[in-house]
Amino acid sequence: MSQNPMDDSYLTFARESEGLYKDRGSKFHFFGFPVQSEEEIKIKLSELKKVYFDASHHCYAWILGKEGIHFRANDDGEPNHSAGDPILGQIRSHKLTNVLIVVVRYFGGTKLGVSGLIQAYKTSAQMAIESNEIVSQFLQKQVRLKFPYEAMNEVMKMVKSLDLSIIEQEMHLNCEIVLKFRAGLKEEVENRVLDMESVELLSD
C-alpha cells in the first residue's frame, strides 16, 4: 500500500504549558514543550534544572519525528519505569510528537510506592497535555533553485500558486532562492521546476 504524499501532518503542542499536581505531600511541577531537536530538548532540561535545582527528581519523556521512532523516557532516580514510561505513555496515547514533557518532583515525606508514582507521573503528564493546546503541523522541506534573472517571473508564479515560503534569496544576473514548503508538495515542486528549462534544482 503506497503512502499518500500529502500525509505529512502530525499533532504537537501549540505552546509551552506548566502547572502543579500534589499527592500526599509531594509536589509534581509539570511542563510541556513543543520541540524540534534533541539539542533543543537538552536546553529545556538544563534550564529547568537551574531553576528547580533543589528538586528530588527531574523525570521526563520526549518523542521526535512523524513516525515517533525517536524517543526517550527518563526516571531520574525514581524506581525503574515508574516515571518516564508513564509520561511517555501519555504522549503516545494522545498521538503527539515533537514534544517534551518534564515532571519535577519535590518529595513530601510520604513514600507513594511504585503504583502511586506511576499514577502521579501519568496524571501530571496528562495535565501538562490538557493545559496545552494540540495543533496539527506539517513536515517541512526546503529546496534551493538557481536560475537566470529572466526566469524570475516564472519562479515567482510557482511560489505564489503553491504558497511556498521564501527563506533566502539572491537576485543578480544569476539568482538563487531557497524555498520552504510542506513535505507533501515535494513532488509537485520538483515537477514544476523540471518544466522550467532555465531553472536548476541545486538541493533538497
Side-chain angles (χ1 to χ4, degrees), residues 9 20 23 32 46 56-57 68-69 88-89 92 94 123 126 133 141 144-145 183:
S9 64
L20 176 65
D23 187 357
S46 177
S56 311
H57 307 277
I69 57 175
L88 184 65
R92 283 184 167 150
H94 287 80
T123 301
Q126 184 177 348
E133 180 186 353
K141 291 281 186 183
R144 182 182 294 272
L145 305 181

Side-chain angles (χ1 to χ4, degrees), residues 7-25:
D7 181 22
D8 56 355
S9 64
Y10 60 92
L11 298 176
T12 191
F13 285 153
R15 51 181 170 74
E16 296 183 4
S17 60
E18 64 178 274
L20 176 65
Y21 173 70
K22 297 179 182 178
D23 187 357
R24 283 167 279 179

Side-chain angles (χ1 to χ4, degrees), residues 105-153:
R105 182 191 182 192
Y106 283 87
F107 180 57
T110 302
K111 290 188 176 181
L112 305 183
V114 172
S115 61
L117 287 171
I118 290 172
Q119 188 58 43
Y121 282 103
K122 177 182 176 181
T123 301
S124 297
Q126 184 177 348
M127 290 172 72
I129 294 169
E130 289 174 352
S131 59
N132 210 304
E133 180 186 353
I134 296 174
V135 292
S136 181
Q137 299 276 18
F138 294 112
L139 296 175
Q140 299 291 311
K141 291 281 186 183
Q142 287 190 16
V143 295
R144 182 182 294 272
L145 305 181
K146 185 177 181 180
F147 52 92
Y149 190 79
E150 297 75 37
M152 172 73 70
N153 282 345

Side-chain angles (χ1 to χ4, degrees), residues 34-69:
V35 288
Q36 295 294 327
S37 67
E38 288 192 49
E39 188 59 38
E40 190 179 354
I41 289 167
K42 288 177 185 175
I43 291 169
K44 297 293 185 190
L45 291 171
S46 177
E47 288 172 350
L48 286 176
K49 284 181 179 177
K50 285 177 184 175
V51 175
Y52 299 93
F53 62 91
D54 57 343
S56 311
H57 307 277
H58 288 75
C59 305
Y60 62 87
W62 55 260
I63 297 181
L64 291 173
K66 184 176 184 301
E67 306 306 322
I69 57 175

Side-chain angles (χ1 to χ4, degrees), residues 7 13 28 82 114 179 194 203:
D7 181 22
F13 285 153
F28 297 85
S82 68
V114 172
L179 302 173
L194 287 172
S203 62

Side-chain angles (χ1 to χ4, degrees), residues 163-177:
D163 196 24
L164 312 182
S165 299
I166 298 172
I167 306 301
E168 300 172 28
Q169 58 183 354
E170 291 181 28
M171 301 304 175
H172 306 292
L173 286 176
N174 286 305
C175 305
E176 283 195 19
I177 190 169

